[in-house]
Amino acid sequence: ILQNLSQTPVLRELLKEAKMPGTTVKIESPELCMLCCFSFKQETQLIKLDQPGPLTLAMHQFVTEMQETKKGVVTPKELFAQVCKKAIRFKGYQQQDSHELLRYLLDGMRTEE
């Protein structure tokens, strides 16, 4: 899950922007326009970002480390600690489903908005 998220360009860019509080982010997403006979139309959303929370900062740090090719092995220790604070079920290193991690990670970052 973490490797896939670290290779998601939109997420990387948003996390980079999220480090700077007060930044307005412009998100353009293609949306199928039924009136245009299967042509694509861009819908733009402007989002003003507040101070990022600890989970968002840990995710930014992790994604940045994953992008550094000379870093070698990357350990998501801080990110995991922040996830455990939001979702106690991950404490103790018991086996969890990857989709549960994804849900708690993204929900946790969303609640920090």
Side-chain angles (χ1 to χ4, degrees), residues 11-54:
L11 180 62
R12 285 196 316 254
E13 290 302 313
L14 284 173
L15 287 171
K16 208 183 296 182
E17 299 276 336
K19 276 200 74 172
M20 300 172 280
T23 301
T24 300
V25 178
K26 181 178 175 181
I27 299 175
E28 294 180 3
S29 59
E31 180 175 294
L32 189 60
C33 177
M34 300 307 272
L35 301 173
C36 302
C37 192
F38 299 106
S39 65
F40 286 93
K41 156 182 130 171
Q42 294 283 44
E43 185 176 306
T44 303
Q45 294 180 345
L46 295 176
I47 300 171
K48 185 171 179 171
L49 302 174
D50 292 327
Q51 179 68 33

Side-chain angles (χ1 to χ4, degrees), residues 42-79:
Q42 294 283 44
E43 185 176 306
T44 303
Q45 294 180 345
L46 295 176
I47 300 171
K48 185 171 179 171
L49 302 174
D50 292 327
Q51 179 68 33
L55 180 59
T56 303
L57 289 173
M59 184 64 181
H60 175 267
Q61 177 186 349
F62 171 76
V63 168
T64 301
E65 287 178 9
M66 286 290 288
Q67 295 303 305
E68 295 174 2
T69 56
K70 297 178 183 173
K71 180 76 177 170
V73 176
V74 176
T75 305
K77 188 175 184 175
E78 178 59 26
L79 179 58

